[in-house]
Amino acid sequence: MGEVKWEREQMLVDKILEKAPYAEGKVRRERRIEFSIPADRIRDFLMLLKENDFELMLQITTVDWPNDGELELIYQMWSVTHRTHAMVRTRIPRDLDKARIPTVKDIYPVAETYERDSHDFFGVYFEGNEKMEMPWILDDTEQGLFPHRKDFDMLTYVKKKYKLLDRFDEDKDNYVI
């Protein structure tokens, strides 16, 4: 009985890949499928998913891979019709001037919020999304700091921001109460 369900997911993956030869796809487990696509095809692919009854975008997750020099964007999609979750992975360069990808907010309007979060915390710029201004979480003087990147030094930031040098043990960089 389990194999029949996996066949349903495999048929769905095959149907989507037939129309998207640039993508790679696989069944992860029951009701879970996954795709890897080039960043420049994200709009095409998400439009294809929407046409194939993936009605909902659940979130956009960003993962920082500093050793690879890349940021990975993971689009979490849900199909009410197929009762299936699709994870769509793509990678972009980590450099701030190259960390760009087209917006998908016109395909899935909720993406506007998720794109803004990715911008604020990781520095990803979504081309076509007008809300990509200075991150709200930082002051104007702190451009280029993105707190969820793995190379962000929180302790140094807090010391500078709140001028708490007298409350830190400078030899150990530990907070002293």
Side-chain angles (χ1 to χ4, degrees):
M1 187 167 145
E3 290 180 31
V4 172
K5 290 184 180 183
W6 284 62
E7 285 180 31
R8 185 178 58 83
E9 283 86 359
Q10 189 60 55
M11 286 177 24
L12 184 57
V13 168
D14 293 344
K15 177 182 174 186
I16 292 168
L17 290 178
E18 185 178 300
K19 297 176 184 173
Y22 52 84
E24 296 175 10
K26 61 184 173 185
V27 177
R28 296 295 290 180
R29 63 179 197 261
E30 183 181 346
R31 297 185 187 185
R32 301 287 185 270
I33 59 178
E34 181 178 323
F35 298 95
S36 294
I37 60 158
D40 62 339
R41 301 303 298 265
I42 190 67
R43 291 184 51 77
D44 299 334
F45 193 78
L46 290 183
M47 183 67 78
L48 178 62
L49 282 186
K50 192 157 195 176
E51 291 166 0
N52 282 277
D53 301 319
F54 280 86
E55 304 93 347
L56 302 172
M57 175 181 281
L58 304 176
Q59 70 184 57
I60 301 173
T61 305
T62 306
V63 181
D64 187 10
W65 298 105
N67 293 342
D68 296 342
E70 294 179 322
L71 294 170
E72 183 176 33
L73 295 162
I74 305 167
Y75 294 77
Q76 307 283 344
M77 314 303 291
W78 178 255
S79 171
V80 175
T81 305
H82 302 294
R83 297 181 321 195
T84 301
H85 174 265
M87 187 167 27
V88 180
R89 298 173 175 267
T90 190
R91 288 188 172 216
I92 59 173
R94 191 175 186 274
D95 299 335
L96 287 176
D97 57 333
K98 295 179 183 172
R100 304 173 90 75
I101 192 164
T103 185
V104 294
K105 71 178 185 128
D106 55 319
I107 303 167
Y108 292 98
V110 72
E112 183 173 11
T113 301
Y114 304 139
E115 290 175 356
R116 178 64 192 260
D117 287 348
S118 241
H119 175 67
D120 284 358
F121 293 110
F122 290 93
V124 176
Y125 185 83
F126 290 85
E127 296 169 338
N129 187 336
E130 309 80 37
K131 303 269 181 166
M132 297 290 109
E133 63 254 7
M134 186 61 204
W136 62 270
I137 56 173
L138 300 172
D139 295 337
D140 290 338
T141 59
E142 297 158 335
Q143 293 183 6
L145 296 177
F146 298 97
H148 285 189
R149 284 184 172 229
K150 291 183 180 174
D151 56 0
F152 182 75
D153 185 355
M154 182 60 79
L155 186 58
T156 301
Y157 173 76
V158 169
K159 285 180 181 181
K160 180 181 166 199
K161 171 98 174 154
Y162 299 104
K163 297 176 180 45
L164 296 174
L165 295 177
D166 58 327
R167 297 185 69 196
F168 286 89
D169 177 359
E170 291 301 321
D171 294 330
K172 297 179 185 171
D173 265 10
N174 291 325
Y175 187 69
V176 178
I177 298 175

